[in-house]
């Protein structure tokens, strides 16, 4: 029904089934709702579905082209909306007016979407109906109200400082081994890290969560070594996906998510092939998950990074026909219960479905040893690929989640070897981590000079007072940190496609062609750096 609402003094035309004024703010109910403010807005907020999906403020009415390659859609965003015809946001939308005030429409349920069209913010639930919070005020006020309303429904984390993490990924990638990590343990022993976390590379196969031959002491043996060095053992797993080559898949093909026609649903392309998604509405899958979490705790890991969690919430036909995000939440409930009091970092995770069930949440795509790759931004229109700038931009758009969960903006760098970041760019990532309140690095102790090791130590010990000045500007103790010159998106003119771009885009699912284009992009980038 059509309504005329006054939201904190702003007169708004709206549609909803009904509304009520509460202590939390004005709440709407309906499968479909809309808000149409009286005056034009200047910017709209786009919130990505899962950790790695782009989150940013865009100029009013602006829509980014669909990202390439398409085969990465399931892995980088909500594939159901990857080619949505209007600017799309998951769960929460916000409009900024010329005077800086913001009107927010935020879903309080798990399967909601927002689109922007002709001055209107329209929201809908994929299945059934649900509640929406509306708020008008400063950006900080409206997002704080939304966070409080979410906390009341989904819960929030324990309020203790987030652990400081050393994580193996951004130095070893898949090539970590017990031998090398043991040396790192020695090299790190006098640095104030809380957790030493083994990332991808220890397992037999994605799906078969047993140690490979690079971990001869077994994961329990290695956890003991970590603990003996004074750190909490941490371990990475991707428990909701599997590669078709693993035993799990071969033995239980019926546990995997399929589409209406019975074909396996791709959870994206990684490790050189398609990965598939478990269907946790299958009771046997939940049992298997609980046993896996129990095994990891039994090995001695009290910090667990669970990755690729979006897989359970991909579109598909489920064993038990419940909405896709509810299926993920159910799996998370089982996982949470089986992990007991272990610290759970959710990664590659749809944001709302994991709130209240995890301690930390990755709020960005991966950082990388480089700032940005023009092939990603200008040829593939992809802002979810690994890169320091992509991580920084999306993290900044998600800091409002801080009251709900430890917000992990991914690691910072202190080294100068094996790194293509300037010292200013390194400082931006370090400051972001201090602002987000979650600190980690992957730098190998043997890569750090004495000065770099000292600045890492200072970073880990710092307890700065953080003051938010505006959207991208902060005060860290007495120092001002301004991210605004860095985080804008390329202008629309960058997206005009010439013949070369169209050729690459049309064939971007081809791995060898992309590899070639990346190499050419890298060559151009180095040439420009040399000229500077
Ligand atoms: C281990 C890594 C690290 C990292 C995670 C996740 O193809 N992709 O778009 C893609 C995105 C992220 C990603 C891997 C692939 O990284 O975020 O910290 O744990 O897995 O494999």
């Amino acid at each position: 029904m059509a309504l005329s609402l006054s939201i904190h003094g702003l007169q708004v035309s709206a549609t909803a089934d009904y509304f009520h004024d509460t202590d939390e703010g004005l709440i709407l109910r309906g499968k479909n709702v809309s808000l149409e403010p009286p005056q034009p807005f200047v910017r709209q907020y786009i919130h990505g579905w899962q950790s790695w999906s782009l989150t940013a403020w865009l100029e009013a009415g602006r829509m980014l082209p669909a990202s390439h390659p398409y085969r990465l859609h399931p892995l980088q965003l909500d594939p159901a909306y990857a080619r949505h015809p209007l600017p799309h946001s998951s769960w929460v939308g916000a409009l900024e007016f010329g005077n800086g005030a913001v009107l927010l429409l935020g879903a309080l349920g798990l399967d909601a979407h927002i689109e922007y069209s002709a001055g209107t913010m329209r929201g809908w639930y994929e299945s059934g109906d649900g509640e929406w919070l509306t708020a008008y005020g400063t950006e900080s006020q409206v997002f704080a109200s939304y966070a409080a309303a979410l906390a009341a429904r989904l819960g929030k984390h324990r309020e203790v400082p987030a652990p400081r993490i050393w994580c193996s990924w951004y130095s070893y990638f898949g090539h970590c081994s017990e031998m090398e990590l043991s040396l790192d343990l020695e090299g790190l022993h006098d640095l104030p890290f809380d957790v030493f976390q083994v990332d991808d590379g220890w397992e037999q196969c994605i799906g078969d969560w047993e140690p490979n031959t690079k971990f001869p002491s077994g994961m329990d043996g290695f956890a003991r070594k970590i603990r003996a060095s004074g750190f909490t053992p941490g371990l990475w797993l991707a428990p909701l996906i599997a590669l078709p080559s693993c035993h799990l898949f071969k033995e239980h093909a019926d546990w995997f998510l399929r589409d209406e026609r019975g074909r396996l649903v791709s959870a994206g392309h990684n490790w050189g092939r398609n990965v598939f998604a478990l269907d946790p509405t299958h009771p046997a899958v939940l049992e298997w998950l609980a046993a896996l979490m129990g095994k990891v705790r039994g090995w001695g890991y009290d910090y667990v990074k669970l990755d690729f969690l979006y897989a359970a919430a991909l579109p598909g036909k489920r064993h038990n026909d419940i909405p896709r995000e509810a299926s993920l939440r159910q799996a998370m409930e089982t996982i949470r219960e089986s992990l007991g009091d272990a610290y759970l970092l959710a990664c590659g995770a749809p944001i709302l479905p994991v709130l209240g069930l995890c301690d930390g949440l990755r709020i960005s795509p991966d950082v990388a040893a480089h700032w940005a790759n023009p092939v990603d931004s200008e040829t593939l229109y992809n802002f979810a690929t690994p890169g320091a700038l992509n991580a920084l931009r999306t993290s900044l758009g998600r800091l409002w989640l801080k009251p709900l969960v430890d917000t992990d903006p991914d690691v910072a760098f202190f080294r100068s070897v094996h790194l293509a970041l300037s010292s200013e760019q390194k400082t931006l990532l370090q400051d972001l981590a201090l602002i987000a309140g979650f600190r980690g690095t992957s730098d190998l102790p043997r890569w750090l000079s004495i000065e770099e090791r000292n600045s890492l130590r200072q970073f880990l010990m710092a307890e700065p007072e953080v003051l938010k000045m505006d959207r991208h500007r902060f005060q860290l103790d007495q120092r001002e940190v301004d991210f605004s010159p860095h985080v804008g998106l390329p202008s629309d003119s960058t997206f005009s496609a010439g013949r070369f771009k169209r050729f690459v885009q049309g064939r971007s699912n081809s791995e060898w062609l992309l590899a070639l284009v990346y190499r050419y992009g890298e060559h151009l980038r180095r040439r420009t750096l040399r000229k500077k």
Side-chain angles (χ1 to χ4, degrees):
M1 89 183 139
L3 306 164
S4 174
L5 303 175
S6 166
I7 306 175
H8 300 113
L10 181 76
Q11 227 34 60
V12 177
S13 316
T15 55
D17 292 349
Y18 72 83
F19 70 94
H20 56 141
D21 221 340
T22 70
D23 292 346
E24 293 178 310
L26 192 69
I27 297 215
L28 308 182
R29 194 173 180 94
K31 181 173 174 66
N32 293 292
V33 298
S34 67
L35 294 182
E36 188 186 350
Q39 72 261 44
F41 53 94
V42 293
R43 263 178 284 274
Q44 73 219 7
Y45 176 70
I46 306 284
H47 182 263
W49 188 54
Q50 55 118 319
S51 305
W52 305 328
S53 326
L54 173 67
T55 295
W57 284 88
L58 301 182
E59 296 81 45
R62 182 161 185 216
M63 190 175 158
L64 298 176
S67 65
H68 294 271
Y70 287 175
R71 67 160 184 217
L72 286 183
H73 285 173
L75 195 139
Q76 296 187 323
L77 34 80
D78 185 342
Y81 298 90
R83 283 182 268 175
H84 194 67
L86 289 169
H88 168 268
S89 186
S90 293
W91 299 291
V92 53
L95 306 176
E96 183 194 339
F97 300 100
N99 63 359
V102 171
L103 175 67
L104 174 141
L105 175 65
L108 301 174
L110 296 185
D111 58 339
H113 300 269
I114 303 272
E115 67 180 20
Y116 300 97
S117 93
T120 303
M121 186 157 45
R122 202 175 77 74
W124 70 96
Y125 278 93
E126 266 186 19
S127 52
D129 68 353
E131 288 183 317
W132 306 82
L133 180 81
T134 66
Y136 177 68
T138 67
E139 180 183 346
S140 300
Q141 280 167 348
V142 298
F143 278 93
S145 306
Y146 183 45
L150 288 177
R153 284 155 186 84
L154 302 172
K156 57 181 194 162
H157 64 142
R158 308 170 249 197
E159 278 176 34
V160 289
R164 295 158 297 181
I165 319 293
W166 189 88
C167 151
S168 64
W169 182 250
Y170 302 90
S171 295
Y172 290 115
F173 298 96
H175 304 292
C176 60
S177 69
E178 178 176 345
M179 198 165 74
E180 287 190 284
L181 290 176
S182 302
L183 289 176
D184 299 326
L185 272 175
E186 261 172 50
L188 293 170
H189 79 275
D190 63 333
L191 284 170
F193 285 103
D194 300 300
V195 174
F196 183 94
Q197 183 240 312
V198 182
D199 213 283
D200 189 3
W202 65 270
E203 73 282 357
Q204 281 179 8
C205 178
I206 302 296
D208 295 339
W209 302 105
E210 290 292 338
N212 57 38
T213 50
K214 293 184 293 162
F215 286 80
S217 307
M219 295 325 280
D220 51 345
F222 194 56
R224 282 195 292 276
K225 272 197 195 174
I226 299 175
R227 211 175 282 282
S229 305
F231 305 116
T232 298
L235 193 63
W236 173 95
L237 297 99
L240 298 175
I241 54 170
L243 283 171
S245 51
C246 72
H247 292 293
L248 182 78
F249 184 84
K250 287 185 188 143
E251 285 158 27
H252 301 287
D254 57 318
W255 287 4
F256 287 81
L257 187 62
R258 289 171 188 271
D259 64 14
E260 294 289 339
R261 289 163 59 186
R263 294 171 305 190
L264 285 162
V265 168
S266 164
H269 194 88
N270 203 21
W271 301 281
R273 46 237 182 96
N274 271 334
V275 285
F276 297 116
L278 280 163
D279 173 4
T281 68
H282 208 299
V285 173
L286 281 188
E287 252 175 65
W288 175 85
L289 271 176
L292 175 61
M293 295 302 128
K295 177 167 82 177
V296 169
R297 288 310 308 280
W299 285 342
Y301 293 88
D302 292 343
Y303 176 99
V304 186
K305 172 177 174 185
L306 299 186
D307 207 351
F308 292 79
L309 294 176
Y310 65 86
L314 289 172
K317 187 167 162 41
R318 297 185 151 67
H319 176 80
N320 181 6
D321 187 22
I322 58 172
R324 54 200 182 105
E325 275 100 348
S327 141
L328 170 61
R329 190 154 181 91
Q330 204 178 58
M332 288 298 293
E333 278 162 1
T334 297
I335 287 173
R336 175 79 272 175
E337 205 181 299
S338 328
L339 283 177
D341 60 2
Y343 188 99
L344 165 53
L345 176 72
C347 188
I351 304 299
L352 258 63
V354 301
L355 291 177
L357 298 171
C358 58
D359 303 280
L361 173 59
R362 253 293 280 292
I363 52 165
S364 71
D366 290 14
V367 296
H370 63 270
W371 182 246
N373 188 332
V375 172
D376 291 329
S377 51
E378 290 167 25
T379 307
L380 304 173
Y381 314 146
N382 193 326
F383 302 96
T385 47
L389 172 59
N390 285 346
L392 180 76
R393 182 190 296 113
T394 286
S395 284
L396 283 170
R398 293 241 180 83
L399 291 176
W400 62 269
L401 286 161
K402 261 182 92 172
L404 294 162
V405 69
D406 292 342
T407 45
D408 171 12
D410 212 2
V411 301
F413 297 93
F414 296 83
R415 68 201 200 210
S416 34
V417 294
H418 308 295
L419 193 73
L421 293 177
S422 69
S423 50
E424 187 199 8
Q425 291 165 342
K426 282 198 272 187
T427 307
L428 287 170
L429 289 187
Q430 293 163 12
D431 288 342
L432 172 69
L434 294 173
I435 292 165
F438 194 100
R439 287 168 280 177
T441 191
S442 285
D443 287 350
L444 302 189
R446 63 174 184 271
W447 287 354
L448 297 174
S449 69
I450 293 175
E451 295 77 44
E452 288 161 357
R453 195 179 166 90
N454 281 339
S455 72
L456 169 59
R457 186 189 303 278
Q458 272 170 21
F459 168 79
L460 294 172
M461 304 208 343
E463 287 175 18
E465 200 179 322
V466 178
L467 205 73
K468 185 168 179 171
M469 321 271 282
D470 57 40
R471 183 167 299 151
H472 295 140
R473 220 156 46 86
F474 296 81
Q475 181 123 355
L476 264 182
D477 287 334
Q478 300 312 316
R479 198 158 54 88
E480 187 181 305
V481 180
D482 189 358
F483 297 104
S484 38
H486 308 281
V487 295
L489 285 156
S491 68
D492 268 338
S493 62
T494 326
F495 297 132
S496 60
R499 263 169 51 203
F500 174 71
K501 257 196 209 181
R502 278 201 299 270
F503 175 84
V504 175
Q505 289 167 359
R507 291 158 187 81
S508 61
N509 275 338
S510 149
E511 220 161 327
W512 70 264
L513 180 92
L514 262 201
L516 209 68
V517 175
Y518 274 120
R519 274 182 66 174
Y520 181 60
E522 185 60 14
H523 164 76
L524 291 182
R525 200 179 60 78
R526 290 209 175 150
R527 213 174 58 180
T528 355
L529 278 183
R530 269 203 303 274
K531 278 194 190 142
K532 276 187 192 161

